[in-house]
Amino acid sequence: MGDPSYTALLSAIHWNADGLVPTITQDARTGQVLMLAWMNAEALQATLQDKMGTYWSRSRQALWRKGESSGHYQHLIDLRLDCDGDTLLMRVIQEGAACHTGEPTCFFQGLADSAGWQHQAPPPGSILDSLQATLQQRRQADPGQSYVAQLLHGGQDRILKKVGEEATEFVLACKNHEQKPIIAEAADLLFHVMVALEEQELHIDDVLGELARREGVSGLEEKAARRPPA
């Protein structure tokens, strides 16, 4: 990338004395912070060229592409520079675990009062992520005590019927132009769509990942790409 725009991009970054800039990597689907690593100009160039998270190893003094040994690659969605110009924020679609320990994020140690730092489950990246975890737990619940368990034990037809009902109620709420019912029905529809995903052993992150991959792509182009060839 020897063009003027790339030169301007490099000059906007306040590199440290070693020619590095800290880079926070965030899951584009959930918003969860995954890790912090360092980039030099070469790593930034490789990341932008190949759309894959690439960093500079201070211990090995070499470039390293996330996932080159583990297969847990990071697909670039967006890159931001903070207001001071001295930190990058990279939004990615993460394959597998982000941490070399096998944890989904490197930030899995929580402060447990006087006990110091202890291993804790990472906080959910979004309310949708938290809801999906609840749905997974309710699979094993008593259908007499859990609405989600009732739906999951009732089978696919019952779940899909509810999705259809909630979609109709959302449409009617929109036609009536009343904001509170629209929001409530949208929440009901999304909830039941997530139950349907859980029944199919899919995660809301799969859907969010697809939306993230489409970011910046014309909707008309994306729809055309899905049409079967004539």
Side-chain angles (χ1 to χ4, degrees):
M1 290 187 182
D3 58 87
S5 61
Y6 183 62
T7 301
L9 183 151
L10 291 179
S11 64
I13 299 173
H14 295 167
W15 307 91
N16 70 12
D18 297 319
L20 303 175
V21 62
T23 303
I24 300 166
T25 305
Q26 180 185 35
D27 193 311
R29 300 162 298 189
T30 67
Q32 188 176 65
V33 175
L34 300 175
M35 54 182 281
L36 183 145
W38 296 84
M39 282 190 183
N40 61 5
E42 189 179 358
L44 177 58
Q45 179 175 343
T47 296
L48 293 174
Q49 280 185 335
D50 301 330
K51 305 298 183 185
M52 303 285 284
T54 305
Y55 306 92
W56 176 258
S57 170
R58 293 178 296 171
S59 59
R60 300 195 306 265
Q61 291 291 293
L63 287 180
W64 64 280
R65 172 161 290 170
K66 180 64 179 175
E68 60 190 355
S69 58
S70 65
H72 297 167
Y73 294 103
Q74 294 174 342
H75 302 273
L76 178 66
I77 297 298
D78 188 30
L79 191 66
R80 305 291 178 100
L81 182 64
D82 78 336
C83 58
D84 295 322
D86 59 5
T87 305
L88 292 174
L89 173 66
M90 184 164 67
R91 295 170 58 236
V92 303
I93 297 295
Q94 173 71 53
E95 291 187 33
C99 184
H100 72 281
T101 64
E103 295 287 340
T105 168
C106 293
F107 297 95
F108 58 85
Q109 297 188 88
L111 185 59
D113 300 323
S114 59
W117 300 103
Q118 293 189 347
H119 184 283
Q120 295 181 6
S126 69
I127 186 62
L128 296 180
D129 211 32
S130 180
L131 176 57
Q132 190 83 63
T134 299
L135 296 180
Q136 290 174 346
Q137 293 171 0
R138 297 291 162 78
R139 271 186 176 273
Q140 310 303 322
D142 180 357
Q145 302 293 323
S146 166
Y147 174 65
V148 172
Q150 285 181 14
L151 288 174
L152 292 173
H153 285 264
Q156 185 184 72
D157 287 348
R158 181 175 181 180
I159 295 170
L160 296 182
K161 180 181 178 183
K162 285 299 298 181
V163 172
E165 290 173 357
E166 298 300 343
T168 299
E169 290 175 10
F170 173 68
V171 169
L172 292 175
C174 289
K175 293 290 287 184
N176 290 331
H177 304 287
E178 297 180 7
Q179 289 189 353
K180 286 187 177 180
I182 290 172
I183 293 170
E185 296 301 342
D188 288 344
L189 175 57
L190 183 54
F191 173 84
H192 286 88
V193 166
M194 289 180 65
V195 174
L197 289 171
E198 178 62 26
E199 192 271 335
Q200 294 289 321
E201 297 185 352
L202 292 170
H203 197 284
I204 188 62
D205 284 357
D206 298 320
V207 178
L208 297 177
E210 178 61 21
L211 289 172
R213 277 186 283 272
R214 296 181 189 181
E215 193 171 331
V217 177
S218 161
L220 295 176
E221 291 177 5
E222 195 281 325
K223 288 179 70 175
R226 281 190 282 162
R227 289 196 199 106

